[in-house]
Amino acid sequence: MNAIYLCTIAEPWIKVSQELEKDFNIIPSYIICWSYDLNLFRKNISNNAYIQNMDDAWKGLGFPPEIDRYVFDEEELRSISYYELIALKMMDRLDPDGESFPFTTRLHFFRDLLGYWFNIVSSSNIDLVISPSIPHRVFDYALYVVCKIKNIKFIMFQLTPFGSNSIIIDDIDAMPRLLDISAEETLPSKSIQERIAKVKGDYKKAIPSYMVKHEVNDKKRRVSRPLAHVKQFIRSYVPRASKPHTYWVEKGFSPNETQYSWHDFYVMEDKRNKKIDMFKKTYSTVITSSLSEKFILIALHYQPEETSCPTGGVYSDQILMIQLLDNYLPKGTDIVIKEHKSQFYSKLEGASGRDPIFYERISQISSRVKFVSVDYDPFELIDQAQAVATISGTIGWESAVRGTPTIVFGRAWYEQMPRVFKVKTKADLIAALQLLPQQKNKDLHSEIMRFHAILEGNFVQAKHYKALLDNNDVTMDESMINIVHKLKGVLNLRNNNV
């Protein structure tokens, strides 16, 4: 069995690949890794695996030189038009100011990526792709689409808010069925029970650590930004051997042609920060201080990011969620919108996640659409709302735990949890809206605890991804063992030595 390891870190994935090759004859044929891990992979992967640098992959570079692009015809492209739409939206990440990466260039870029991957998996007889994250960098999503076309197994790890615990999935749009599984345990571990207890309490004690970190860093940057900008501007004229480390696309070029100078990079960074400031100012003019008695809360996602694209499918256009709810909610029920605080943080990518008329377009949907401050206590909003609507955000889980029904429009790790309704169609939405009143504050504690017990039974505890490296709840050796054990079960592998 030939495998591609996608966006992997050296530890624990080198040892994982070695164990899978030794015990189950899964050959690492193609690896994409971070630049600083290149030498480790080259030294420790014994066969002739092709190793690609992630910096190159972002730009559509670094593919095997002997591989040409497969060319798709109209019928083939029609069959993947849904995925193509998602990919075009996903490229917002590469568009620093929302104006530098136009539609036609995006289309050509994605089709080139598809063509390369199609011929790579064909020529290398790839049977399996393993990705520590949900593909969301365009180049990895293109590989996912090719695997869909060619019916190749694609394994991904869905992060959860419970430390280094993830769930292995093989479909971006659906979680594996969990509630059909009978479980002897009716309670999750003590650590998960403690996390649930926090969510039932005060928001200040339950706020995710990454949100605290983002806010602290943003305050520091805003204080130092004027002086930092002057220093950067001066430094941009000093000759330097290195180029800016970025996947941003330069206006007038495709990703594989882009070559930012330091001067151009700092100019673009300043432009992005000003754009974020403009979005924040615009939002402050539309917020209301009073709430109606009946409302649905829509918690917008920070964009661009994997949790909305590709995880949300077409609902990565969050305005679509609002339009559907406006069409089907009963009269007298308002729609309250809360923007994600991270959308206005400098150094993040929020400049390309909203367009200048985003909030105006939402306001024009209906007179019952209201905005609230990003600083409004989310738990207070959850408790007052009839329901919370989100693509896949953690706020949906928090809402269901606290007693307010949740509507998810994407794929959420908690989508099979009691009091959660997954909506993809108008019929789904109509059915969910009819059930909301009886779900609000209904005593579902035992059912929710059982869901978490079943969920925990499907966890793989491992520091498999860059974002988990600072966690201290599992060692690297344990991570390797846990990954191999879980993949053995998911893939129904049989040991070579048996």
Side-chain angles (χ1 to χ4, degrees), residues 126-146:
I126 298 299
D127 306 291
L128 172 68
V129 177
I130 299 176
S131 175
S133 63
I134 308 302
H136 61 283
R137 300 173 179 89
V138 189
F139 70 85
D140 51 357
Y141 186 69
L143 175 55
Y144 173 79
V145 175
V146 167

Side-chain angles (χ1 to χ4, degrees), residues 328-340:
Y328 291 99
L329 280 174
K331 291 182 179 179
T333 302
D334 281 350
I335 299 172
V336 172
I337 313 291
K338 183 178 183 294
E339 180 60 282
H340 199 292

Side-chain angles (χ1 to χ4, degrees), residues 344-484:
F344 301 138
Y345 289 158
S346 59
K347 291 294 183 182
L348 296 182
E349 299 172 314
S352 53
R354 299 284 182 262
D355 61 60
I357 61 171
F358 181 78
Y359 304 118
E360 180 183 345
R361 287 179 62 207
I362 293 176
S363 297
Q364 292 173 350
I365 292 173
S366 170
S367 60
R368 64 171 161 184
V369 174
K370 316 289 183 185
F371 294 88
V372 293
S373 169
V374 294
D375 294 316
Y376 207 118
D377 187 318
F379 284 3
E380 185 178 336
L381 287 170
I382 285 171
D383 295 345
Q384 293 181 56
Q386 290 183 301
V388 168
T390 180
I391 295 175
S392 66
T394 303
I395 193 171
W397 168 67
E398 294 167 338
S399 177
V401 166
R402 289 183 69 88
T404 298
T406 294
I407 299 172
V408 294
F409 284 83
R411 175 194 49 76
W413 61 266
Y414 55 84
E415 65 185 35
Q416 296 165 46
M417 180 176 163
R419 216 170 359 239
V420 175
F421 300 89
K422 184 171 182 174
V423 166
K424 284 297 182 182
T425 67
K426 294 175 182 177
D428 293 338
L429 181 57
I430 292 169
L433 292 176
Q434 291 174 344
L435 295 172
L436 295 184
Q438 59 185 272
Q439 291 290 312
K440 176 74 174 179
N441 292 326
K442 182 179 179 181
D443 184 5
L444 296 173
H445 178 77
S446 296
E447 292 88 340
I448 287 174
M449 285 299 179
R450 181 176 181 273
F451 164 79
H452 284 87
I454 295 173
L455 185 77
E456 190 172 23
N458 286 268
F459 281 164
V460 51
Q461 188 178 38
K463 293 194 281 193
H464 59 81
Y465 189 51
K466 195 175 179 182
L468 303 175
L469 289 179
D470 290 336
N471 291 357
N472 57 12
D473 54 351
V474 63
T475 68
M476 276 300 178
D477 285 341
E478 290 169 338
S479 296
M480 181 273 292
I481 293 169
N482 293 344
I483 291 171
V484 172

